[in-house]
Amino acid sequence: MKHIHKIFTLILISYFANAQVYTYPMLAKQFSTSYVTGSARMQGMGGSQSVLGADLSSIAGNAAGLGFYSRSEIGLNFAVNAASTSADYLSQSTNNTNNLFHMPNFGIVISGDYLSSSSWRGAFGIGYSRQVVLTQPLTIEGTNNRSSYLDNLIQKAGDKGATGATLDDEYDPYYNTADSPEAAAYQAYLINPNSTTGGAPFERYLPHLPTKQFGYGTNSGSVSQWDISYGAAYQDRLYIGLGVHFSKLNTTHSQRWDESFPGNNYVAGFSMEEQLITTGSGISASLGVIYKLKPNLRVALNVQSPTYYDQMNEQLTGLMTPQVSAIPVSGGIIKKVKPVKLTPNEFTYQMVTPFRISGGMAYFFGKRGLISADLELLNYSGMSVSSAELGPYANQQFKDKYNSQISKNYQSVVNMKVGAEFRVSSAWTLRGGAALYGSGFSSTYDSIDRNQFQVSGGLGYRSAAYYVDFAVVQRTGKDAYTPYALKNAADYASAALKLTNTQFTLGGGIFF
């Protein structure tokens, strides 16, 4: 199969993601970044779950928390996620929203009985959890007086030394497919070779007219896990847990880019649609410890290995649709040109996500409540990609190119989470929390502050036989999206983005 190292300009706004030109480092970052996970109880407390036990979140998180179970439990959680993106592009503001109903997690915990001759007890848990959920949409619109997306394709054609003849070689008339966007634009009469050289510099019709631009992007899918964990308690003071996590990745990124050229008697405009589908399976393991320094004070440490994705499968499709008014050609005028498809591309590669380590502390005010805090360290610069599909030499080039980008543009981050729980009666509990997530981008990438801030609250009811929890979490942050780039930075524009993501989660379970 063909491999395209930088396939196309693709919107990568996701549940936290950054919108930039599509690259494998950017996808690795997106697939490695999770925010609101776990049960409604833990979501309401800001996600500070590493030191708190006896909760279904321990199955996917710190498995040592399973050691706090003294009885068995089965439970599940449902959530509605509302994502909104406000964009400012070329002095024009737009907003797009998207809602998603999903299941953050469910699981079952089987608790062991106390043994009269042993100081140990333990609990086994198996569950399902969603670690990354893609929902963030994007719409941008504006009038560009400096450039068009076609100028980007003109530069690409020139950079690779293309001529009209070589771009014809990239086109299959039987299937009506082109191997690159610039070849598709050439077949659609949107760009033309210089009449003297037969190649660079390529041209477009009436380039000095204003260009009306409209971009729309959606993401869907998730990174989910099946988690199998065991936690044990020693004398109700030391808790140790081990988990194995089987990840399943299934995502779709889609975008449409429209341009129109008012007053252009040759080409009225065009649209470019692209879709990338990525699937993969991975495995990771975690080891956690919780220790009671005092009856009301405990600390925790949890280490999670990178997730090793043995085979990531991607499929890229695209379609360029021109709106032609009157193209002069030898022997007449062309008034209609059919859409040109991009040659479908399939490729497989391997990916390793960051190593992460988290620790926490919690203080309990008797049975009235608690306050907890977590710190989570992720080493984004430790991500890596490779491809066994390529030969040894090509694979080494692939790794050198993208893994050096990872080392240069990404860095370690520390995520901070705090939460509190207050029992207002024997059955009812109020919760609140906050979190700050680091962007993971180094200063060599750009100067945008992509940190994400999150606030949350919740309510819970407990009886001897069952429980019900509700939580609301809102996360906000900034980002930027560049639909295309040109050699002269003054000739293209980026959109300033404000991201808002709100999730409502309802969960419950029964004890047995």
Side-chain angles (χ1 to χ4, degrees):
M1 292 292 180
K2 293 181 180 178
H3 172 59
I4 304 174
H5 284 261
K6 185 176 285 185
I7 299 180
F8 59 100
T9 304
L10 176 67
I11 292 171
L12 287 183
I13 293 282
S14 72
Y15 195 58
F16 96 60
N18 301 276
Q20 294 293 338
V21 173
Y22 162 73
T23 63
Y24 293 106
M26 186 66 74
L27 283 182
K29 169 69 166 60
Q30 182 186 41
F31 297 148
S32 304
T33 304
S34 57
Y35 293 110
V36 185
T37 61
S39 66
R41 180 193 176 204
M42 294 306 173
Q43 290 183 30
M45 296 177 64
S48 56
Q49 57 179 277
S50 70
V51 74
L52 303 178
D55 189 273
L56 292 179
S57 302
S58 300
I59 304 175
N62 187 349
L66 296 176
F68 287 87
Y69 273 95
S70 59
R71 53 181 174 170
S72 300
E73 173 189 337
I74 185 171
L76 74 166
N77 292 266
F78 295 102
V80 175
N81 188 287
S84 174
T85 305
S86 297
D88 189 352
Y89 181 66
L90 298 170
S91 301
Q92 187 165 339
S93 298
T94 55
N95 188 75
N96 197 349
T97 59
N98 183 37
N99 297 319
L100 172 70
F101 177 80
H102 70 105
M103 182 184 296
N105 77 338
F106 67 83
I108 182 171
V109 176
I110 305 299
S111 175
D113 295 329
Y114 283 95
L115 301 176
S116 58
S117 59
S118 174
S119 299
W120 290 90
R121 75 170 189 274
F124 172 83
I126 183 170
Y128 169 89
S129 62
R130 283 194 167 185
Q131 299 298 310
V132 180
V133 180
L134 304 186
T135 58
Q136 205 83 39
L138 176 63
T139 297
I140 63 173
E141 186 174 4
T143 299
N144 195 326
N145 295 310
R146 299 295 300 268
S147 67
S148 160
Y149 171 66
L150 296 179
D151 294 317
N152 172 268
L153 301 184
I154 286 172
Q155 288 190 1
K156 288 182 176 179
D159 289 344
K160 68 183 184 181
T163 65
T166 61
L167 291 183
D168 277 335
D169 291 339
E170 293 186 32
Y171 177 68
D172 186 334
Y174 183 81
Y175 292 103
N176 187 33
T177 57
D179 292 343
S180 66
E182 54 269 26
Y186 177 73
Q187 297 300 326
Y189 292 90
L190 298 174
I191 64 173
N192 303 294
N194 182 273
S195 58
T196 301
T197 66
F202 280 74
E203 304 162 346
R204 62 184 177 95
Y205 291 103
L206 302 178
H208 300 297
L209 291 175
T211 301
K212 290 188 175 181
Q213 299 179 323
F214 176 84
Y216 173 78
T218 59
N219 293 330
S220 62
S222 65
V223 179
S224 58
Q225 288 182 177
W226 281 100
D227 309 293
I228 302 174
S229 300
Y230 181 81
Y234 178 72
Q235 294 185 345
D236 277 330
R237 189 162 189 175
L238 174 64
Y239 303 81
I240 301 174
L242 176 66
V244 181
H245 314 283
F246 302 92
S247 299
K248 183 68 175 179
L249 187 153
N250 193 334
T251 65
T252 299
H253 301 81
S254 302
Q255 88 156 12
R256 179 185 174 106
W257 183 255
D258 292 340
E259 291 190 354
S260 62
F261 311 111
N264 192 319
N265 297 324
Y266 302 98
V267 177
F270 71 93
S271 65
M272 183 68 177
E273 300 172 76
E274 297 161 312
Q275 183 181 80
L276 177 70
I277 298 175
T278 307
T279 61
S281 299
I283 187 171
S284 62
S286 61
L287 177 65
V289 177
I290 300 175
Y291 185 73
K292 287 185 179 180
L293 297 173
K294 296 180 180 180
N296 61 344
L297 179 64
R298 65 179 71 160
V299 294
L301 181 67
N302 187 60
V303 177
Q304 180 154 353
S305 75
T307 301
Y308 296 90
Y309 287 92
D310 181 62
Q311 183 160 304
M312 301 282 286
N313 303 294
E314 66 176 29
Q315 181 184 62
L316 169 69
T317 56
L319 180 70
M320 179 168 281
T321 305
Q323 290 90 48
V324 170
S325 298
I327 301 293
V329 296
S330 177
I333 294 177
I334 296 176
K335 293 188 176 181
K336 186 176 182 180
V337 178
K338 63 183 178 180
V340 181
K341 295 179 288 186
L342 286 181
T343 304
N345 186 82
E346 295 182 357
F347 181 62
T348 62
Y349 62 99
Q350 290 71 50
M351 183 179 74
V352 180
T353 67
F355 171 87
R356 66 180 66 202
I357 181 171
S358 60
M361 178 178 292
Y363 184 86
F364 292 78
F365 302 94
K367 295 184 178 181
R368 298 298 298 171
L370 65 92
I371 183 170
S372 65
D374 278 7
L375 294 177
E376 181 184 48
L377 173 66
L378 283 84
N379 179 26
Y380 284 115
S381 62
M383 301 182 300
S384 65
V385 293
S386 61
S387 177
E389 176 180 316
L390 303 173
Y393 180 73
N395 184 32
Q396 189 61 50
Q397 288 184 311
F398 180 83
K399 292 191 294 183
D400 290 345
K401 178 177 182 178
Y402 292 114
N403 292 337
S404 64
Q405 291 179 10
I406 290 173
S407 299
K408 177 182 177 182
N409 294 325
Y410 297 90
Q411 63 183 9
S412 298
V413 299
V414 176
N415 299 327
M416 296 176 286
K417 309 171 188 179
V418 295
E421 186 175 66
F422 178 70
R423 182 170 294 178
V424 296
S425 70
S426 60
W428 290 94
T429 304
L430 292 176
R431 305 178 183 111
L436 179 65
Y437 295 91
S439 72
F441 290 89
S442 66
S443 58
T444 59
Y445 190 74
D446 61 27
S447 60
I448 298 173
D449 181 5
R450 290 186 172 85
N451 294 333
Q452 303 272 312
F453 180 70
Q454 176 181 293
V455 294
S456 59
L459 179 69
Y461 176 84
R462 288 285 193 280
S463 74
Y466 68 93
Y467 65 91
V468 178
D469 293 314
F470 173 78
V472 57
V473 181
Q474 185 175 76
R475 190 180 69 260
T476 57
K478 297 180 180 180
D479 209 331
Y481 171 63
T482 304
Y484 59 88
L486 300 171
K487 293 178 181 178
N488 185 352
D491 288 339
Y492 67 95
S494 297
L497 309 180
K498 294 181 179 178
L499 313 178
T500 303
N501 195 288
T502 305
Q503 180 160 295
F504 302 89
T505 304
L506 179 65
I510 57 175
F511 305 110
F512 61 96

